[in-house]
Amino acid sequence: MATAGKVIKCKAAVAWEAGKPLSIEEVDVAPPQAMEVRVKILFTALCHTDVYFWEAKGQTPVFPRIFGHEAGGIVESVGEGVTELAPGDHVLPVFTGECKECPHCKSAESNMCDLLRINTDRGVMLSDGQSRFSINGKPIFHFVGTSTFSEYTVMHVGCVAKINPEAPLDKVCVLSCGISTGLGATINVAKPRKGSTVAIFGLGAVGLAAAEGARISGASRIIGIDLNPNRFEEAKKFGCTEFINPKDHDKPVQQVLAEMTNGGVDRSVECTGNIHAMIQAFECVHDGWGVAVLVGVPHKDAEFKTHPMNFLNERTLKGTFFGNYKPRTDLPNVVEMYMKKELEVEKFITHSVPFSEINTAFDLMHRGEGIRCIIRMED
């Protein structure tokens, strides 16, 4: 492309300080260096992780910054040493990576790359410790190696998944984070058998994706647990058959579930990050074969407390990161699940706004409205 090797001037939504509305600015995006790619973002979505770090209440504030990590785009140019991608390729950026060289990447069991594992504090590129974004020569920091709230962004090649060019980017962009996290937690980690009973704690985007995974796996009962009963009707579209609002009961949720299921559920997936829900999700699975999977990220000081007999009675507790998917190896296959109509993505997308109205997406999330809001970069 004519822009290869040159600085590109484009629009980006910049967060100048914590919790303040994003501002659409003209930024300079430097060309990709070795093992980097520059991508034209066509569609991006807002994920709760963006909001969490934009609010910067519980972690190191890094500003000014360009947020965004759930997106779809087209490769504009590649840096030295990049052989797997070429200009024109359709790609999904991913907040974590796959270098393909480290022990984790070489393991069939892990997706926690040593080199490119998520780092929320780093606002610069790995190769030289510099940002590829600037305004009037002053650096604007990156976010989780992706920064998709910009018309162009630069990423390490290991954080970019090449996908089927026939796949509609305005739909499959949501697969690059939350949906795959929940889906994979069920399909890859909980692995419910056909006809089994699955409990899903938390019916936000990740929890609904976990329910979708249970539906695809052939679970016969999918029990959704949430404090917000307004989510129950929507969750039926994702396979949920029954619901529990803990506020409606004067006994622990794990006891309610045990009574509903003759001793406990076969599998549970926890998608809230609330430590009490995590303990409930473990204690509600059936002895002998029950498996609980933790997905939500807890408070940094949280402690998981349960009686050791719960383990000795053959209950299993697992954790997962990004649904155990390796970004470059596995995400193209998740896109193919959508293309084959095995996975329904449209029902996750409840709103769409032009890039100029990106702050509306933040407002929707704050109000708890909808599941995913797509931001159209070219409008």
Side-chain angles (χ1 to χ4, degrees):
M1 294 190 183
T3 46
K6 299 173 186 167
V7 170
I8 288 179
K9 285 188 183 294
C10 72
K11 288 195 181 84
V14 177
W16 290 102
E17 52 186 304
K20 293 283 163 64
L22 305 189
S23 171
I24 304 287
E25 309 279 358
E26 185 178 80
V27 299
D28 291 340
V29 185
Q33 302 301 304
M35 300 311 288
E36 295 173 2
V37 294
R38 188 161 58 183
V39 173
K40 180 178 187 178
I41 300 294
L42 296 180
F43 300 95
T44 186
L46 181 65
C47 170
H48 189 262
T49 308
D50 296 305
V51 177
Y52 182 75
F53 285 93
W54 165 72
E55 289 174 336
K57 288 174 181 169
Q59 64 297 110
T60 317
V62 182
F63 294 95
R65 198 171 209 182
I66 296 171
F67 286 99
H69 63 281
E70 199 171 273
I74 296 174
V75 174
E76 173 270 338
S77 60
V78 302
E80 186 187 336
V82 175
T83 55
E84 289 189 22
L85 291 169
D89 283 346
H90 287 220
V91 294
L92 300 182
V94 190
F95 64 91
T96 185
E98 182 185 353
C99 72
K100 299 196 175 182
E101 299 295 329
C102 73
H104 281 280
C105 286
K106 287 184 173 174
S107 159
E109 297 179 56
S110 175
N111 65 343
M112 301 189 75
C113 176
D114 281 329
L115 180 69
L116 301 169
R117 189 181 304 187
I118 185 172
N119 183 324
T120 55
D121 292 340
R122 188 174 61 231
V124 293
M125 298 302 286
L126 277 173
S127 62
D128 59 2
Q130 304 291 313
S131 172
R132 301 287 174 262
F133 298 110
S134 61
I135 296 178
N136 299 326
K138 293 192 174 148
I140 308 292
F141 295 110
H142 295 250
F143 176 63
V144 295
T146 52
S147 292
T148 61
F149 294 167
S150 174
E151 292 175 322
Y152 287 87
T153 188
V154 176
M155 292 172 281
H156 190 284
V157 66
C159 298
V160 181
K162 180 181 174 179
I163 63 162
N164 182 345
E166 299 293 314
L169 289 171
D170 60 330
K171 306 291 191 297
V172 298
C173 62
V174 298
L175 296 176
S176 71
C177 176
I179 310 307
S180 294
T181 296
L183 186 76
T186 305
I187 292 176
N188 297 335
V189 188
K191 297 179 179 171
R193 291 195 176 98
K194 198 167 182 180
S196 58
T197 301
V198 180
I200 308 290
F201 286 75
L203 298 174
V206 176
L208 292 173
E212 178 79 353
R215 181 189 72 77
I216 291 168
S217 301
S220 61
R221 294 176 74 187
I222 303 171
I223 306 167
I225 299 110
D226 203 294
L227 293 165
N228 180 359
N230 296 333
R231 289 176 159 177
F232 294 167
E233 195 56 40
E234 187 81 24
K236 290 177 184 174
K237 295 180 194 169
F238 299 84
C240 285
T241 55
E242 298 149 78
F243 300 95
I244 298 173
N245 180 348
K247 290 184 196 164
D248 294 342
H249 300 272
D250 51 12
K251 52 189 162 192
V253 170
Q254 51 271 57
Q255 199 178 326
V256 176
L257 281 161
E259 289 169 9
M260 284 172 69
T261 58
N262 195 24
V265 298
D266 302 310
R267 301 288 186 267
S268 72
V269 186
E270 190 288 323
C271 304
T272 72
N274 177 293
I275 191 63
H276 303 297
M278 291 179 158
I279 294 165
Q280 290 162 354
F282 174 56
E283 293 182 352
C284 81
V285 299
H286 206 291
D287 59 0
W289 63 78
V291 178
V293 178
L294 305 185
V295 182
V297 180
H299 187 274
K300 62 181 184 345
D301 299 324
E303 290 184 346
F304 189 99
K305 293 178 181 174
T306 191
H307 198 283
M309 281 308 297
N310 287 322
F311 292 100
L312 296 174
N313 287 334
E314 298 190 355
R315 291 177 182 88
T316 301
L317 179 65
K318 293 181 170 186
T320 177
F321 171 69
F322 191 50
N324 204 231
Y325 287 120
K326 291 179 185 278
R328 291 204 277 176
T329 301
D330 297 332
L331 262 195
N333 300 328
V334 180
V335 171
E336 290 311 310
M337 283 176 70
Y338 166 75
M339 296 299 281
K340 292 176 191 160
K341 298 191 164 42
E342 294 164 14
L343 165 65
E344 299 167 17
V345 168
E346 283 84 354
K347 60 192 177 187
F348 289 96
I349 300 164
T350 51
H351 296 82
S352 175
V353 296
F355 189 34
S356 58
E357 294 171 27
I358 188 170
N359 288 303
T360 304
F362 281 76
D363 296 339
L364 287 165
M365 188 161 279
H366 271 300
R367 294 200 297 268
E369 290 180 25
I371 304 169
R372 274 292 183 268
C373 179
I374 301 291
I375 296 149
R376 309 184 300 273
M377 302 302 285
E378 292 194 316
D379 280 19

